[in-house]
Amino acid sequence: MRYTVGEAVSFVARRAMQKAARTARPGDNQTLWNLGKADERRFWRAWIDQQGMEWSDDFQQRLDPGAPFDDWVEQQAIDASITGPVLGVLDVGAGPVTCLGYRSPNWEIHITATDALGSDYAGLWRDAGRMPPVVTRPVPAEDLSAVSYMGPFDVVHMRNALDHCVSPVAAIEQMTQQVADGGVILLRHEVNEAENESYKGLHQWNLEPRGDNLHVWNKNVDVNLTGWLDERGFDCQTEALDIGGAPWVRNVVTRR
Ligand SMILES: C[S@@+](CC[C@H](N)C(=O)[O-])C[C@H]1O[C@@H](n2cnc3c(N)ncnc32)[C@H](O)[C@@H]1O
C-alpha cells in the first residue's frame, strides 16, 4: 500500500502513540498527551469545516448567541441560591466553542471558556472565516491562574474533558481554587471513556461512579476524587445516569 507523506507521518505518530499507551508508566502522561493532541485538533477541524458533521444541531446551537443557557447548569445554580444579576461561569476544557448556551431568564450569563488547545482552535476558526460568540482562551485545566482575574466564578463547569487532561487531580484542584464561596463545580462525563476509546488520542483517563464516589483511573492509578475533595473541605454528589443509551456520571461539588 502507498501512503502520502501526511498519511505516513500520521501513521507513524499513531503507532508511536499506541506503543506508548501499551507501555505507559505514571510519569508518561505528558508524553501521551503531546502525542494525542493532533487527533483532537483533527476532530475539531472536521467539526468546524463540516459545520458539526452529524451533530449539526449542536454546531448551530453553540454558534447562536441567543441560544438558551444549559438546563442542568441553570438548575444547579438555582439550587445553590446564587443571586444575580450576573452569573459568572468558567467552562474548563470547553472545546473550540462552549456548549453551555448564552441566555437565561434568571441571570446575565458571563462565560469564560478555556481549553489547553485554545490557540489551535483560534486558528481553526480563522481558517473557517468565523468567530464563536465566546472565544475559548488557551489555558490548561492544570493551571487556571491565567483566568483567575476574571473570577472567582459562581459556576465552574467541565464536560467530557477531565478524561483528556494530563493530570485530572491537578485540574480538580485548580477548579476548587476558582469557584466562589457558595458557588458550584459541575462535572459531567461519559463513563470510562479511555476504556471505550482504547486509550487512543487524548482519552487517557476513565471517570467512573462507584456507589456515592467518583473515581478517576487508568491502568496505573486509581484515585477516589470524592475522598480527595472531602479531605479538602468539598462535598461531591455523584449521580449515575443514562444519556442516549450511554452511561454518564454527573457531579455537583460544593465547598462546606
Ligand atoms: C471531548 S472534548 C469536550 C469539549 C467540550 N467540553 C464539550 O463537551 O463539547 C475534550 C476537550 O478537552 C480539551 N483538553 C484536553 N486536555 C486538556 C487540558 N489539560 N486542559 C484543558 N482542556 C483540555 C481538549 O482540547 C478538548 O477540547
Side-chain angles (χ1 to χ4, degrees), residues 90 92 141 144 152-153 156-157 168-187 225 228-236 253-255:
L90 177 62
V92 183
L144 295 171
F153 299 88
V156 177
H157 169 265
V169 173
I172 289 282
E173 191 272 336
Q174 284 288 292
M175 288 189 259
T176 64
Q177 304 250 334
Q178 297 304 327
V179 70
D181 283 341
V184 282
I185 300 171
L186 302 175
L187 311 173
L225 281 179
W228 189 93
L229 283 159
D230 180 56
E231 284 167 15
R232 285 153 185 84
F234 287 83
D235 291 327
C236 175
V253 179
T254 46
R255 192 179 272 117

PDB file of all heavy atoms in Angstrom, residues 90 92 141 144 152-153 156-157 168-187 225 228-236 253-255:
ATOM      1  N   LEU A  90     -17.164  29.640  34.476  1.00  0.00           N
ATOM      2  CA  LEU A  90     -15.894  29.223  33.869  1.00  0.00           C
ATOM      3  C   LEU A  90     -16.110  27.840  33.256  1.00  0.00           C
ATOM      4  O   LEU A  90     -16.430  26.886  33.974  1.00  0.00           O
ATOM      5  CB  LEU A  90     -14.802  29.162  34.943  1.00  0.00           C
ATOM      6  CG  LEU A  90     -13.426  28.660  34.478  1.00  0.00           C
ATOM      7  CD1 LEU A  90     -12.830  29.578  33.421  1.00  0.00           C
ATOM      8  CD2 LEU A  90     -12.468  28.544  35.674  1.00  0.00           C
ATOM      9  N   VAL A  92     -14.314  24.863  31.603  1.00  0.00           N
ATOM     10  CA  VAL A  92     -12.933  24.356  31.508  1.00  0.00           C
ATOM     11  C   VAL A  92     -12.908  23.185  30.516  1.00  0.00           C
ATOM     12  O   VAL A  92     -13.743  22.288  30.594  1.00  0.00           O
ATOM     13  CB  VAL A  92     -12.447  23.896  32.904  1.00  0.00           C
ATOM     14  CG1 VAL A  92     -11.003  23.432  32.837  1.00  0.00           C
ATOM     15  CG2 VAL A  92     -12.609  25.009  33.924  1.00  0.00           C
ATOM     16  N   ALA A 141      -6.314  23.109  32.011  1.00  0.00           N
ATOM     17  CA  ALA A 141      -7.066  22.942  33.255  1.00  0.00           C
ATOM     18  C   ALA A 141      -6.128  22.822  34.462  1.00  0.00           C
ATOM     19  O   ALA A 141      -6.499  23.171  35.573  1.00  0.00           O
ATOM     20  CB  ALA A 141      -7.933  21.693  33.142  1.00  0.00           C
ATOM     21  N   LEU A 144      -5.075  27.205  35.963  1.00  0.00           N
ATOM     22  CA  LEU A 144      -6.108  28.173  35.579  1.00  0.00           C
ATOM     23  C   LEU A 144      -5.769  29.587  36.054  1.00  0.00           C
ATOM     24  O   LEU A 144      -6.600  30.481  35.976  1.00  0.00           O
ATOM     25  CB  LEU A 144      -7.466  27.740  36.150  1.00  0.00           C
ATOM     26  CG  LEU A 144      -8.026  26.422  35.593  1.00  0.00           C
ATOM     27  CD1 LEU A 144      -9.257  25.969  36.387  1.00  0.00           C
ATOM     28  CD2 LEU A 144      -8.385  26.565  34.107  1.00  0.00           C
ATOM     29  N   PRO A 152     -13.560  35.193  41.438  1.00  0.00           N
ATOM     30  CA  PRO A 152     -13.980  33.794  41.430  1.00  0.00           C
ATOM     31  C   PRO A 152     -15.313  33.632  40.681  1.00  0.00           C
ATOM     32  O   PRO A 152     -16.088  34.571  40.556  1.00  0.00           O
ATOM     33  CB  PRO A 152     -14.109  33.430  42.911  1.00  0.00           C
ATOM     34  CG  PRO A 152     -14.397  34.738  43.582  1.00  0.00           C
ATOM     35  CD  PRO A 152     -13.686  35.792  42.791  1.00  0.00           C
ATOM     36  N   PHE A 153     -15.587  32.412  40.250  1.00  0.00           N
ATOM     37  CA  PHE A 153     -16.738  32.128  39.390  1.00  0.00           C
ATOM     38  C   PHE A 153     -17.860  31.465  40.192  1.00  0.00           C
ATOM     39  O   PHE A 153     -17.608  30.627  41.055  1.00  0.00           O
ATOM     40  CB  PHE A 153     -16.314  31.207  38.248  1.00  0.00           C
ATOM     41  CG  PHE A 153     -15.255  31.818  37.360  1.00  0.00           C
ATOM     42  CD1 PHE A 153     -13.907  31.667  37.655  1.00  0.00           C
ATOM     43  CD2 PHE A 153     -15.602  32.562  36.238  1.00  0.00           C
ATOM     44  CE1 PHE A 153     -12.929  32.238  36.850  1.00  0.00           C
ATOM     45  CE2 PHE A 153     -14.630  33.141  35.427  1.00  0.00           C
ATOM     46  CZ  PHE A 153     -13.287  32.972  35.739  1.00  0.00           C
ATOM     47  N   VAL A 156     -18.187  26.685  38.013  1.00  0.00           N
ATOM     48  CA  VAL A 156     -17.037  26.158  37.256  1.00  0.00           C
ATOM     49  C   VAL A 156     -17.512  24.848  36.650  1.00  0.00           C
ATOM     50  O   VAL A 156     -17.935  23.939  37.374  1.00  0.00           O
ATOM     51  CB  VAL A 156     -15.808  25.938  38.167  1.00  0.00           C
ATOM     52  CG1 VAL A 156     -14.660  25.330  37.369  1.00  0.00           C
ATOM     53  CG2 VAL A 156     -15.387  27.254  38.815  1.00  0.00           C
ATOM     54  N   HIS A 157     -17.479  24.775  35.327  1.00  0.00           N
ATOM     55  CA  HIS A 157     -18.109  23.644  34.616  1.00  0.00           C
ATOM     56  C   HIS A 157     -17.084  22.885  33.788  1.00  0.00           C
ATOM     57  O   HIS A 157     -16.164  23.484  33.220  1.00  0.00           O
ATOM     58  CB  HIS A 157     -19.203  24.202  33.688  1.00  0.00           C
ATOM     59  CG  HIS A 157     -19.748  23.193  32.722  1.00  0.00           C
ATOM     60  ND1 HIS A 157     -19.284  23.043  31.432  1.00  0.00           N
ATOM     61  CD2 HIS A 157     -20.727  22.261  32.871  1.00  0.00           C
ATOM     62  CE1 HIS A 157     -19.960  22.078  30.818  1.00  0.00           C
ATOM     63  NE2 HIS A 157     -20.831  21.590  31.666  1.00  0.00           N
ATOM     64  N   PRO A 168      -5.821  14.863  35.912  1.00  0.00           N
ATOM     65  CA  PRO A 168      -7.171  15.206  36.375  1.00  0.00           C
ATOM     66  C   PRO A 168      -7.186  15.737  37.813  1.00  0.00           C
ATOM     67  O   PRO A 168      -7.974  16.629  38.126  1.00  0.00           O
ATOM     68  CB  PRO A 168      -7.924  13.875  36.285  1.00  0.00           C
ATOM     69  CG  PRO A 168      -7.184  13.066  35.296  1.00  0.00           C
ATOM     70  CD  PRO A 168      -5.739  13.470  35.413  1.00  0.00           C
ATOM     71  N   VAL A 169      -6.313  15.229  38.682  1.00  0.00           N
ATOM     72  CA  VAL A 169      -6.328  15.699  40.067  1.00  0.00           C
ATOM     73  C   VAL A 169      -5.868  17.158  40.136  1.00  0.00           C
ATOM     74  O   VAL A 169      -6.478  17.982  40.821  1.00  0.00           O
ATOM     75  CB  VAL A 169      -5.459  14.786  40.969  1.00  0.00           C
ATOM     76  CG1 VAL A 169      -5.347  15.372  42.368  1.00  0.00           C
ATOM     77  CG2 VAL A 169      -6.054  13.382  41.028  1.00  0.00           C
ATOM     78  N   ALA A 170      -4.818  17.486  39.366  1.00  0.00           N
ATOM     79  CA  ALA A 170      -4.368  18.885  39.337  1.00  0.00           C
ATOM     80  C   ALA A 170      -5.482  19.778  38.781  1.00  0.00           C
ATOM     81  O   ALA A 170      -5.691  20.899  39.247  1.00  0.00           O
ATOM     82  CB  ALA A 170      -3.108  19.016  38.487  1.00  0.00           C
ATOM     83  N   ALA A 171      -6.215  19.276  37.785  1.00  0.00           N
ATOM     84  CA  ALA A 171      -7.308  20.061  37.192  1.00  0.00           C
ATOM     85  C   ALA A 171      -8.406  20.318  38.222  1.00  0.00           C
ATOM     86  O   ALA A 171      -8.903  21.446  38.353  1.00  0.00           O
ATOM     87  CB  ALA A 171      -7.864  19.332  35.968  1.00  0.00           C
ATOM     88  N   ILE A 172      -8.771  19.284  38.970  1.00  0.00           N
ATOM     89  CA  ILE A 172      -9.811  19.456  40.001  1.00  0.00           C
ATOM     90  C   ILE A 172      -9.318  20.449  41.060  1.00  0.00           C
ATOM     91  O   ILE A 172     -10.071  21.328  41.501  1.00  0.00           O
ATOM     92  CB  ILE A 172     -10.140  18.095  40.663  1.00  0.00           C
ATOM     93  CG1 ILE A 172     -10.888  17.196  39.681  1.00  0.00           C
ATOM     94  CG2 ILE A 172     -10.937  18.277  41.948  1.00  0.00           C
ATOM     95  CD1 ILE A 172     -12.356  17.523  39.507  1.00  0.00           C
ATOM     96  N   GLU A 173      -8.061  20.312  41.442  1.00  0.00           N
ATOM     97  CA  GLU A 173      -7.514  21.218  42.466  1.00  0.00           C
ATOM     98  C   GLU A 173      -7.615  22.672  41.990  1.00  0.00           C
ATOM     99  O   GLU A 173      -8.010  23.562  42.730  1.00  0.00           O
ATOM    100  CB  GLU A 173      -6.057  20.818  42.755  1.00  0.00           C
ATOM    101  CG  GLU A 173      -5.447  21.486  43.979  1.00  0.00           C
ATOM    102  CD  GLU A 173      -4.815  22.817  43.674  1.00  0.00           C
ATOM    103  OE1 GLU A 173      -4.415  23.073  42.513  1.00  0.00           O
ATOM    104  OE2 GLU A 173      -4.730  23.641  44.592  1.00  0.00           O
ATOM    105  N   GLN A 174      -7.299  22.895  40.699  1.00  0.00           N
ATOM    106  CA  GLN A 174      -7.374  24.243  40.142  1.00  0.00           C
ATOM    107  C   GLN A 174      -8.818  24.751  40.108  1.00  0.00           C
ATOM    108  O   GLN A 174      -9.081  25.921  40.366  1.00  0.00           O
ATOM    109  CB  GLN A 174      -6.792  24.250  38.725  1.00  0.00           C
ATOM    110  CG  GLN A 174      -5.285  24.195  38.718  1.00  0.00           C
ATOM    111  CD  GLN A 174      -4.678  25.506  39.172  1.00  0.00           C
ATOM    112  OE1 GLN A 174      -4.781  26.505  38.477  1.00  0.00           O
ATOM    113  NE2 GLN A 174      -4.084  25.525  40.352  1.00  0.00           N
ATOM    114  N   MET A 175      -9.753  23.858  39.821  1.00  0.00           N
ATOM    115  CA  MET A 175     -11.164  24.281  39.783  1.00  0.00           C
ATOM    116  C   MET A 175     -11.633  24.693  41.184  1.00  0.00           C
ATOM    117  O   MET A 175     -12.390  25.648  41.325  1.00  0.00           O
ATOM    118  CB  MET A 175     -12.032  23.176  39.186  1.00  0.00           C
ATOM    119  CG  MET A 175     -11.802  23.028  37.689  1.00  0.00           C
ATOM    120  SD  MET A 175     -12.998  21.919  36.897  1.00  0.00           S
ATOM    121  CE  MET A 175     -12.010  20.459  36.750  1.00  0.00           C
ATOM    122  N   THR A 176     -11.151  23.972  42.211  1.00  0.00           N
ATOM    123  CA  THR A 176     -11.551  24.354  43.580  1.00  0.00           C
ATOM    124  C   THR A 176     -11.024  25.748  43.931  1.00  0.00           C
ATOM    125  O   THR A 176     -11.592  26.443  44.759  1.00  0.00           O
ATOM    126  CB  THR A 176     -11.060  23.338  44.647  1.00  0.00           C
ATOM    127  OG1 THR A 176      -9.633  23.320  44.671  1.00  0.00           O
ATOM    128  CG2 THR A 176     -11.598  21.946  44.394  1.00  0.00           C
ATOM    129  N   GLN A 177      -9.923  26.151  43.290  1.00  0.00           N
ATOM    130  CA  GLN A 177      -9.353  27.484  43.552  1.00  0.00           C
ATOM    131  C   GLN A 177     -10.160  28.585  42.883  1.00  0.00           C
ATOM    132  O   GLN A 177     -10.064  29.738  43.262  1.00  0.00           O
ATOM    133  CB  GLN A 177      -7.936  27.560  42.993  1.00  0.00           C
ATOM    134  CG  GLN A 177      -7.012  26.504  43.498  1.00  0.00           C
ATOM    135  CD  GLN A 177      -5.956  27.044  44.416  1.00  0.00           C
ATOM    136  OE1 GLN A 177      -5.607  28.210  44.313  1.00  0.00           O
ATOM    137  NE2 GLN A 177      -5.492  26.230  45.324  1.00  0.00           N
ATOM    138  N   GLN A 178     -10.893  28.234  41.824  1.00  0.00           N
ATOM    139  CA  GLN A 178     -11.568  29.261  41.020  1.00  0.00           C
ATOM    140  C   GLN A 178     -13.035  29.455  41.389  1.00  0.00           C
ATOM    141  O   GLN A 178     -13.661  30.399  40.925  1.00  0.00           O
ATOM    142  CB  GLN A 178     -11.476  28.910  39.525  1.00  0.00           C
ATOM    143  CG  GLN A 178     -10.059  28.872  38.981  1.00  0.00           C
ATOM    144  CD  GLN A 178      -9.304  30.167  39.200  1.00  0.00           C
ATOM    145  OE1 GLN A 178      -9.894  31.243  39.182  1.00  0.00           O
ATOM    146  NE2 GLN A 178      -8.016  30.069  39.432  1.00  0.00           N
ATOM    147  N   VAL A 179     -13.600  28.541  42.196  1.00  0.00           N
ATOM    148  CA  VAL A 179     -15.029  28.650  42.484  1.00  0.00           C
ATOM    149  C   VAL A 179     -15.260  29.604  43.672  1.00  0.00           C
ATOM    150  O   VAL A 179     -14.505  29.588  44.648  1.00  0.00           O
ATOM    151  CB  VAL A 179     -15.645  27.253  42.748  1.00  0.00           C
ATOM    152  CG1 VAL A 179     -15.187  26.642  44.058  1.00  0.00           C
ATOM    153  CG2 VAL A 179     -17.166  27.292  42.667  1.00  0.00           C
ATOM    154  N   ALA A 180     -16.295  30.435  43.540  1.00  0.00           N
ATOM    155  CA  ALA A 180     -16.622  31.406  44.601  1.00  0.00           C
ATOM    156  C   ALA A 180     -17.196  30.683  45.820  1.00  0.00           C
ATOM    157  O   ALA A 180     -17.736  29.577  45.688  1.00  0.00           O
ATOM    158  CB  ALA A 180     -17.653  32.399  44.060  1.00  0.00           C
ATOM    159  N   ASP A 181     -17.115  31.284  46.988  1.00  0.00           N
ATOM    160  CA  ASP A 181     -17.842  30.764  48.160  1.00  0.00           C
ATOM    161  C   ASP A 181     -19.318  30.720  47.774  1.00  0.00           C
ATOM    162  O   ASP A 181     -19.848  31.695  47.244  1.00  0.00           O
ATOM    163  CB  ASP A 181     -17.675  31.713  49.351  1.00  0.00           C
ATOM    164  CG  ASP A 181     -16.306  31.558  49.982  1.00  0.00           C
ATOM    165  OD1 ASP A 181     -15.655  30.518  49.757  1.00  0.00           O
ATOM    166  OD2 ASP A 181     -15.884  32.497  50.681  1.00  0.00           O
ATOM    167  N   GLY A 182     -19.977  29.598  48.031  1.00  0.00           N
ATOM    168  CA  GLY A 182     -21.399  29.477  47.665  1.00  0.00           C
ATOM    169  C   GLY A 182     -21.611  29.095  46.216  1.00  0.00           C
ATOM    170  O   GLY A 182     -22.751  28.911  45.788  1.00  0.00           O
ATOM    171  N   GLY A 183     -20.531  28.964  45.457  1.00  0.00           N
ATOM    172  CA  GLY A 183     -20.653  28.565  44.050  1.00  0.00           C
ATOM    173  C   GLY A 183     -20.616  27.046  43.898  1.00  0.00           C
ATOM    174  O   GLY A 183     -20.553  26.309  44.899  1.00  0.00           O
ATOM    175  N   VAL A 184     -20.668  26.572  42.661  1.00  0.00           N
ATOM    176  CA  VAL A 184     -20.665  25.125  42.406  1.00  0.00           C
ATOM    177  C   VAL A 184     -19.664  24.761  41.308  1.00  0.00           C
ATOM    178  O   VAL A 184     -19.486  25.515  40.349  1.00  0.00           O
ATOM    179  CB  VAL A 184     -22.053  24.588  41.967  1.00  0.00           C
ATOM    180  CG1 VAL A 184     -22.990  24.421  43.127  1.00  0.00           C
ATOM    181  CG2 VAL A 184     -22.681  25.442  40.879  1.00  0.00           C
ATOM    182  N   ILE A 185     -19.056  23.592  41.502  1.00  0.00           N
ATOM    183  CA  ILE A 185     -18.264  22.984  40.418  1.00  0.00           C
ATOM    184  C   ILE A 185     -19.133  21.875  39.839  1.00  0.00           C
ATOM    185  O   ILE A 185     -19.626  21.013  40.582  1.00  0.00           O
ATOM    186  CB  ILE A 185     -16.944  22.384  40.947  1.00  0.00           C
ATOM    187  CG1 ILE A 185     -16.094  23.466  41.609  1.00  0.00           C
ATOM    188  CG2 ILE A 185     -16.165  21.703  39.817  1.00  0.00           C
ATOM    189  CD1 ILE A 185     -14.869  22.930  42.347  1.00  0.00           C
ATOM    190  N   LEU A 186     -19.349  21.903  38.537  1.00  0.00           N
ATOM    191  CA  LEU A 186     -20.226  20.918  37.887  1.00  0.00           C
ATOM    192  C   LEU A 186     -19.415  20.114  36.878  1.00  0.00           C
ATOM    193  O   LEU A 186     -18.782  20.686  35.976  1.00  0.00           O
ATOM    194  CB  LEU A 186     -21.374  21.638  37.169  1.00  0.00           C
ATOM    195  CG  LEU A 186     -22.254  22.519  38.064  1.00  0.00           C
ATOM    196  CD1 LEU A 186     -23.285  23.265  37.214  1.00  0.00           C
ATOM    197  CD2 LEU A 186     -22.947  21.673  39.123  1.00  0.00           C
ATOM    198  N   LEU A 187     -19.434  18.800  37.069  1.00  0.00           N
ATOM    199  CA  LEU A 187     -18.695  17.902  36.172  1.00  0.00           C
ATOM    200  C   LEU A 187     -19.691  16.959  35.522  1.00  0.00           C
ATOM    201  O   LEU A 187     -20.616  16.477  36.193  1.00  0.00           O
ATOM    202  CB  LEU A 187     -17.692  17.059  36.971  1.00  0.00           C
ATOM    203  CG  LEU A 187     -16.768  17.790  37.952  1.00  0.00           C
ATOM    204  CD1 LEU A 187     -15.977  16.784  38.780  1.00  0.00           C
ATOM    205  CD2 LEU A 187     -15.826  18.714  37.184  1.00  0.00           C
ATOM    206  N   LEU A 225     -11.876  10.575  43.786  1.00  0.00           N
ATOM    207  CA  LEU A 225     -11.931  12.047  43.783  1.00  0.00           C
ATOM    208  C   LEU A 225     -12.857  12.580  44.866  1.00  0.00           C
ATOM    209  O   LEU A 225     -12.638  13.668  45.403  1.00  0.00           O
ATOM    210  CB  LEU A 225     -12.405  12.549  42.416  1.00  0.00           C
ATOM    211  CG  LEU A 225     -11.360  12.579  41.292  1.00  0.00           C
ATOM    212  CD1 LEU A 225     -12.003  13.066  40.013  1.00  0.00           C
ATOM    213  CD2 LEU A 225     -10.173  13.459  41.660  1.00  0.00           C
ATOM    214  N   TRP A 228     -10.822  12.609  47.939  1.00  0.00           N
ATOM    215  CA  TRP A 228      -9.792  13.657  47.791  1.00  0.00           C
ATOM    216  C   TRP A 228     -10.408  15.040  48.060  1.00  0.00           C
ATOM    217  O   TRP A 228      -9.843  15.863  48.779  1.00  0.00           O
ATOM    218  CB  TRP A 228      -9.227  13.581  46.364  1.00  0.00           C
ATOM    219  CG  TRP A 228      -8.029  14.433  46.108  1.00  0.00           C
ATOM    220  CD1 TRP A 228      -6.715  14.070  46.203  1.00  0.00           C
ATOM    221  CD2 TRP A 228      -8.034  15.812  45.705  1.00  0.00           C
ATOM    222  NE1 TRP A 228      -5.903  15.134  45.892  1.00  0.00           N
ATOM    223  CE2 TRP A 228      -6.688  16.211  45.578  1.00  0.00           C
ATOM    224  CE3 TRP A 228      -9.037  16.745  45.443  1.00  0.00           C
ATOM    225  CZ2 TRP A 228      -6.322  17.507  45.198  1.00  0.00           C
ATOM    226  CZ3 TRP A 228      -8.675  18.043  45.070  1.00  0.00           C
ATOM    227  CH2 TRP A 228      -7.334  18.398  44.950  1.00  0.00           C
ATOM    228  N   LEU A 229     -11.607  15.255  47.500  1.00  0.00           N
ATOM    229  CA  LEU A 229     -12.280  16.544  47.704  1.00  0.00           C
ATOM    230  C   LEU A 229     -12.730  16.700  49.150  1.00  0.00           C
ATOM    231  O   LEU A 229     -12.614  17.781  49.743  1.00  0.00           O
ATOM    232  CB  LEU A 229     -13.481  16.650  46.751  1.00  0.00           C
ATOM    233  CG  LEU A 229     -13.120  16.979  45.296  1.00  0.00           C
ATOM    234  CD1 LEU A 229     -14.242  16.570  44.340  1.00  0.00           C
ATOM    235  CD2 LEU A 229     -12.808  18.471  45.155  1.00  0.00           C
ATOM    236  N   ASP A 230     -13.244  15.610  49.723  1.00  0.00           N
ATOM    237  CA  ASP A 230     -13.713  15.650  51.118  1.00  0.00           C
ATOM    238  C   ASP A 230     -12.589  16.095  52.050  1.00  0.00           C
ATOM    239  O   ASP A 230     -12.788  16.944  52.927  1.00  0.00           O
ATOM    240  CB  ASP A 230     -14.233  14.258  51.501  1.00  0.00           C
ATOM    241  CG  ASP A 230     -14.740  14.227  52.924  1.00  0.00           C
ATOM    242  OD1 ASP A 230     -15.630  15.042  53.239  1.00  0.00           O
ATOM    243  OD2 ASP A 230     -14.233  13.408  53.722  1.00  0.00           O
ATOM    244  N   GLU A 231     -11.392  15.556  51.843  1.00  0.00           N
ATOM    245  CA  GLU A 231     -10.244  15.930  52.695  1.00  0.00           C
ATOM    246  C   GLU A 231      -9.915  17.412  52.568  1.00  0.00           C
ATOM    247  O   GLU A 231      -9.260  17.987  53.434  1.00  0.00           O
ATOM    248  CB  GLU A 231      -9.007  15.113  52.301  1.00  0.00           C
ATOM    249  CG  GLU A 231      -9.060  13.675  52.794  1.00  0.00           C
ATOM    250  CD  GLU A 231      -7.985  12.806  52.140  1.00  0.00           C
ATOM    251  OE1 GLU A 231      -7.032  13.361  51.540  1.00  0.00           O
ATOM    252  OE2 GLU A 231      -8.130  11.576  52.212  1.00  0.00           O
ATOM    253  N   ARG A 232     -10.338  18.033  51.484  1.00  0.00           N
ATOM    254  CA  ARG A 232     -10.034  19.459  51.267  1.00  0.00           C
ATOM    255  C   ARG A 232     -11.234  20.355  51.522  1.00  0.00           C
ATOM    256  O   ARG A 232     -11.265  21.505  51.118  1.00  0.00           O
ATOM    257  CB  ARG A 232      -9.495  19.640  49.845  1.00  0.00           C
ATOM    258  CG  ARG A 232      -8.071  19.136  49.770  1.00  0.00           C
ATOM    259  CD  ARG A 232      -7.662  18.674  48.397  1.00  0.00           C
ATOM    260  NE  ARG A 232      -6.314  18.109  48.456  1.00  0.00           N
ATOM    261  CZ  ARG A 232      -6.067  16.832  48.810  1.00  0.00           C
ATOM    262  NH1 ARG A 232      -7.059  16.022  49.102  1.00  0.00           N
ATOM    263  NH2 ARG A 232      -4.821  16.385  48.886  1.00  0.00           N
ATOM    264  N   GLY A 233     -12.289  19.796  52.160  1.00  0.00           N
ATOM    265  CA  GLY A 233     -13.429  20.624  52.571  1.00  0.00           C
ATOM    266  C   GLY A 233     -14.503  20.794  51.513  1.00  0.00           C
ATOM    267  O   GLY A 233     -15.290  21.754  51.569  1.00  0.00           O
ATOM    268  N   PHE A 234     -14.564  19.875  50.536  1.00  0.00           N
ATOM    269  CA  PHE A 234     -15.592  19.955  49.489  1.00  0.00           C
ATOM    270  C   PHE A 234     -16.460  18.702  49.493  1.00  0.00           C
ATOM    271  O   PHE A 234     -15.951  17.581  49.608  1.00  0.00           O
ATOM    272  CB  PHE A 234     -14.943  20.094  48.097  1.00  0.00           C
ATOM    273  CG  PHE A 234     -14.348  21.443  47.848  1.00  0.00           C
ATOM    274  CD1 PHE A 234     -13.067  21.747  48.301  1.00  0.00           C
ATOM    275  CD2 PHE A 234     -15.068  22.423  47.177  1.00  0.00           C
ATOM    276  CE1 PHE A 234     -12.512  23.006  48.078  1.00  0.00           C
ATOM    277  CE2 PHE A 234     -14.526  23.682  46.958  1.00  0.00           C
ATOM    278  CZ  PHE A 234     -13.241  23.979  47.407  1.00  0.00           C
ATOM    279  N   ASP A 235     -17.788  18.878  49.371  1.00  0.00           N
ATOM    280  CA  ASP A 235     -18.702  17.750  49.176  1.00  0.00           C
ATOM    281  C   ASP A 235     -18.839  17.500  47.679  1.00  0.00           C
ATOM    282  O   ASP A 235     -18.876  18.462  46.895  1.00  0.00           O
ATOM    283  CB  ASP A 235     -20.086  18.073  49.748  1.00  0.00           C
ATOM    284  CG  ASP A 235     -20.051  18.140  51.270  1.00  0.00           C
ATOM    285  OD1 ASP A 235     -19.248  17.384  51.868  1.00  0.00           O
ATOM    286  OD2 ASP A 235     -20.798  18.958  51.837  1.00  0.00           O
ATOM    287  N   CYS A 236     -18.946  16.232  47.329  1.00  0.00           N
ATOM    288  CA  CYS A 236     -19.098  15.875  45.906  1.00  0.00           C
ATOM    289  C   CYS A 236     -20.257  14.901  45.777  1.00  0.00           C
ATOM    290  O   CYS A 236     -20.156  13.746  46.202  1.00  0.00           O
ATOM    291  CB  CYS A 236     -17.797  15.245  45.398  1.00  0.00           C
ATOM    292  SG  CYS A 236     -17.891  14.627  43.701  1.00  0.00           S
ATOM    293  N   VAL A 253     -20.122  19.683  43.022  1.00  0.00           N
ATOM    294  CA  VAL A 253     -19.102  19.844  44.068  1.00  0.00           C
ATOM    295  C   VAL A 253     -19.297  21.211  44.727  1.00  0.00           C
ATOM    296  O   VAL A 253     -19.356  22.228  44.032  1.00  0.00           O
ATOM    297  CB  VAL A 253     -17.679  19.743  43.450  1.00  0.00           C
ATOM    298  CG1 VAL A 253     -16.612  19.926  44.518  1.00  0.00           C
ATOM    299  CG2 VAL A 253     -17.501  18.413  42.714  1.00  0.00           C
ATOM    300  N   THR A 254     -19.414  21.193  46.064  1.00  0.00           N
ATOM    301  CA  THR A 254     -19.626  22.459  46.792  1.00  0.00           C
ATOM    302  C   THR A 254     -18.675  22.524  48.003  1.00  0.00           C
ATOM    303  O   THR A 254     -18.344  21.495  48.605  1.00  0.00           O
ATOM    304  CB  THR A 254     -21.075  22.566  47.317  1.00  0.00           C
ATOM    305  OG1 THR A 254     -21.436  21.328  47.931  1.00  0.00           O
ATOM    306  CG2 THR A 254     -22.052  22.863  46.197  1.00  0.00           C
ATOM    307  N   ARG A 255     -18.279  23.761  48.323  1.00  0.00           N
ATOM    308  CA  ARG A 255     -17.400  23.965  49.489  1.00  0.00           C
ATOM    309  C   ARG A 255     -18.236  23.877  50.761  1.00  0.00           C
ATOM    310  O   ARG A 255     -19.322  24.452  50.819  1.00  0.00           O
ATOM    311  CB  ARG A 255     -16.750  25.352  49.386  1.00  0.00           C
ATOM    312  CG  ARG A 255     -15.625  25.584  50.348  1.00  0.00           C
ATOM    313  CD  ARG A 255     -15.031  26.971  50.173  1.00  0.00           C
ATOM    314  NE  ARG A 255     -13.985  27.040  49.186  1.00  0.00           N
ATOM    315  CZ  ARG A 255     -14.021  27.755  48.063  1.00  0.00           C
ATOM    316  NH1 ARG A 255     -15.098  28.459  47.755  1.00  0.00           N
ATOM    317  NH2 ARG A 255     -13.003  27.767  47.233  1.00  0.00           N
TER     318      ARG A 255
END
